[in-house]
Amino acid sequence: MNRIAIFVAGAAVGVAALVAMAAFTGWPDWTRPGSEQATAARDAADAHSHPDGAPRITLSKQQIDDAGITLAEAKSGRLRRHFLAPGSFIPDPDHVARVSVRVLATVAELRKKLGDSVAQGEIVAAIESREVADAKSEYLAARVTNELRQTLYARQKTLVETRAVSENEFLRTQLTAQEAQIKLDGSRQKLFALGLSESEIADLPNQPPESLRTQYLRAPIAGRISERRVDLGGLIGREGQESELFVIVNLDSIWVDLAVSPEDLASVQEGEDVSIRTIGSEEQTSAKVIFVSPLLDRETRNARVVATLPNANHRWRPGTFVTAEIPIGHEASAVVVPRQALQTIKGAPTLFVRSADGFEARQVRTGREDDDNVAILNGLAPGESYAIANTFILKAELEKGEAEEEH
C-alpha cells in the first residue's frame, strides 16, 4: 500500500471516530453512525493536502447545512478603538418631579401609594389649610367687589356723556373700578402661587364654604410614585416640617453618569454614541453623550460625562453600575473577520475557507483587533467565502484526521 492510500485510509478512520463521538454529543444527522449521510461522509471526507499545502475537508452543501456552519464573504471593515469608563444609571432630572405645598397645612387625603402610576395633572393628595381658605375668601370678595365697581363705572360712563353727572365724579368712579380690578388680579395670582389651576379658580364661586380650606394637589408629570414622605393627618409646610408629599419619577428615559480620566477626556465628544454594559451581566445597550463637564472633580480628578438613552420598557434601573465603551477612533483594514471565525491549529490562527468540495484550513496572519473583529493581513482575499459559525466542528474533524494519519 503506497503512502497516499495509507493517508486516505487514515482519514477515513478519523472520520469514523468522529462519527462515533457525535452519537454522544448531539452532532447533526450526517455525523451519526448508520445514516446514509454518515456513510457518504466517511467515503468523502479527507484531510489530504491541497496543492498549495493547506489541509482540506471535503463536505457537501447538505452536510454543511446540517452542521449549522455559517458562511460569510471576506470584506473590508473598520476596527473600533475605545477605552472603558465606569459609571451608573441615574434618573433623568428632567423627568423627576416633587409634589409639595407652599403653606402650613394638614394632610387630609392620600390617593396614591408607593409604586403607583400617575398621569400628568392627576390628583394625588388633598390638604387642609387656613391660609388656603383665607386666599380663596379674599379672591371671592375681590371678585364681587370688582363686579360691582365695574357695573357702576359702566353706568357712570353713560351718564357723563349726557352730563347727568360731573366729570370729577366719573373720574372717581373710574379710579375705584381700576383699584377693584387690581385687587382681583392680585388675589387671583396668589391662588396660582398656591398651586390652584385655572379651572379650580373659575369653579370657586360654585363651591360650598366648608370646602374653601381644602386644596387638591396634582401630579406635575406622568410617572410612578418613588417616594411618599408624609402620613395621613401629618402637619406639613411649617419650618422644620416636611413640605414634600411625593416624589414622582418617569423612567421612559434615563441617564448614564460616567467618570472619565483627564487623559481620555479629549476623546469624548458630545453627540457621539457609546456602548453601555451592566456590571455582572451581559446586557448591553447604546447611549448618546449629551454633556462633557469642563471641570474635574476635586477628589477623584475625573471629569463627569453624561449620556442618555431611551428606557420605554423600564429595563434599566437607576443605581445599576455600568461600564461604558467609549470609541476613540476607527482603523480601516482591507479584510476584517469576526473573532469567532478564527481557530488555532498547530499554534497558528486558521480560517476555514470555502472550496469547491468543502473547506480549506488556511493559516492567516492577523493584525490589530477589537472586541468583535480581527484584521487579516495575509491569507484571505476580499470576496472569498469562509466559515464563521460552528468552525469547531471543522477543527475537530481536521485534527482527528491528522491524528489517524500519524498512526
Side-chain angles (χ1 to χ4, degrees):
M1 184 180 297
N2 56 31
R3 294 179 61 186
I4 295 177
I6 293 174
F7 185 84
V8 172
V13 172
V15 172
L18 180 65
V19 169
M21 179 180 293
F24 298 97
T25 58
W27 286 12
D29 289 340
W30 65 271
T31 62
R32 293 177 182 168
S35 67
E36 295 181 2
Q37 293 91 336
T39 302
R42 286 197 303 270
D43 294 340
D46 59 29
H48 61 275
S49 297
H50 190 264
D52 62 6
R56 296 184 57 184
I57 301 172
T58 302
L59 294 174
S60 67
K61 184 179 184 305
Q62 184 62 44
Q63 291 171 334
I64 293 173
D65 293 340
D66 291 343
I69 300 172
T70 307
L71 303 176
E73 182 180 313
K75 56 185 178 180
S76 62
R78 290 181 174 272
L79 298 176
R80 297 181 303 168
R81 299 170 55 216
H82 63 269
F83 67 91
L84 301 179
S88 63
F89 288 130
I90 63 173
D92 182 343
D94 292 334
H95 292 81
V96 177
R98 305 176 189 277
V99 181
S100 59
V101 296
R102 302 157 193 175
V103 295
L104 180 64
T106 302
V107 179
E109 185 180 358
L110 293 171
R111 296 191 179 183
K112 294 295 181 179
K113 302 186 298 295
L114 192 66
D116 284 352
S117 297
V118 297
Q120 185 176 10
E122 183 180 359
I123 295 176
V124 296
I127 60 172
E128 292 182 350
S129 169
R130 187 176 65 181
E131 293 181 50
V132 171
D134 291 344
K136 289 180 179 179
S137 299
E138 180 183 337
Y139 167 77
L140 292 173
R143 185 172 180 272
V144 172
T145 301
N146 182 65
E147 289 177 354
L148 177 60
R149 296 298 186 189
Q150 298 305 324
T151 301
L152 292 175
Y153 170 67
R155 183 177 300 174
Q156 290 278 40
K157 187 175 182 180
T158 303
L159 294 175
V160 76
E161 293 174 355
T162 60
R163 298 186 182 276
V165 297
S166 66
E167 186 174 351
N168 287 340
E169 186 177 354
F170 169 73
L171 291 176
R172 285 194 296 269
T173 303
Q174 184 182 39
L175 178 60
T176 56
Q178 291 175 346
E179 291 175 345
Q181 184 63 53
I182 292 172
K183 278 190 176 182
L184 177 63
D185 293 340
S187 62
R188 181 183 177 86
Q189 292 302 318
K190 184 182 294 186
L191 293 178
F192 279 131
L194 291 176
L196 273 72
S197 65
E198 179 80 35
S199 59
E200 288 175 323
I201 295 175
D203 193 48
L204 281 179
N206 305 321
Q207 298 299 315
E210 59 270 16
S211 67
L212 293 181
R213 66 179 181 272
T214 303
Q215 179 183 354
Y216 294 101
L217 304 180
R218 300 177 182 272
I221 64 171
R224 294 187 68 192
I225 303 294
S226 63
E227 294 182 47
R228 197 190 85 172
R229 299 186 171 181
V230 296
D231 298 320
L232 194 64
L235 186 64
I236 55 176
R238 176 182 293 174
E239 185 177 355
Q241 300 285 345
E242 185 63 64
S243 62
E244 294 178 356
L245 284 74
F246 296 106
V247 177
I248 301 174
V249 177
N250 188 326
L251 295 180
D252 288 346
S253 68
I254 198 170
W255 279 10
V256 189
D257 197 358
L258 303 171
V260 177
S261 65
E263 295 79 10
D264 297 323
L265 191 60
S267 302
V268 185
Q269 302 295 325
E270 293 181 0
E272 71 178 346
D273 292 329
V274 296
S275 180
I276 305 296
R277 188 187 303 274
T278 58
I279 295 178
S281 72
E282 295 300 321
E283 293 185 300
Q284 188 170 343
T285 186
S286 179
K288 183 179 292 294
V289 176
I290 61 172
F291 173 71
V292 178
S293 175
L295 305 176
L296 299 181
D297 185 271
R298 291 184 178 180
E299 296 181 0
T300 64
R301 309 308 299 170
N302 290 328
R304 186 188 187 203
V305 173
V306 177
T308 183
L309 70 150
N311 189 34
N313 57 1
H314 298 177
R315 175 184 179 187
W316 314 111
R317 296 181 177 275
T320 303
F321 291 108
V322 302
T323 299
E325 180 183 299
I326 301 178
I328 57 177
H330 296 79
E331 183 174 307
S333 180
V335 178
V336 172
V337 302
R339 295 170 65 93
Q340 63 183 16
L342 286 166
Q343 294 287 345
T344 301
I345 299 177
K346 295 183 178 179
T350 302
L351 289 173
F352 290 94
V353 182
R354 186 75 165 95
S355 61
D357 56 355
F359 289 95
E360 176 184 314
R362 189 184 300 174
Q363 292 186 357
V364 295
R365 185 161 66 93
T366 59
R368 292 183 179 273
E369 58 186 71
D370 59 20
D371 292 342
D372 302 314
N373 301 306
V374 179
I376 303 300
L377 304 181
N378 190 19
L380 183 67
E384 287 190 288
S385 181
Y386 64 98
I388 62 171
N390 288 335
T391 55
F392 67 93
I393 297 177
L394 300 174
K395 177 182 178 181
E397 186 172 350
L398 180 66
E399 290 179 343
K400 289 183 181 298
E402 292 177 346
E404 292 295 336
E405 178 186 353
E406 292 176 358
H407 288 81

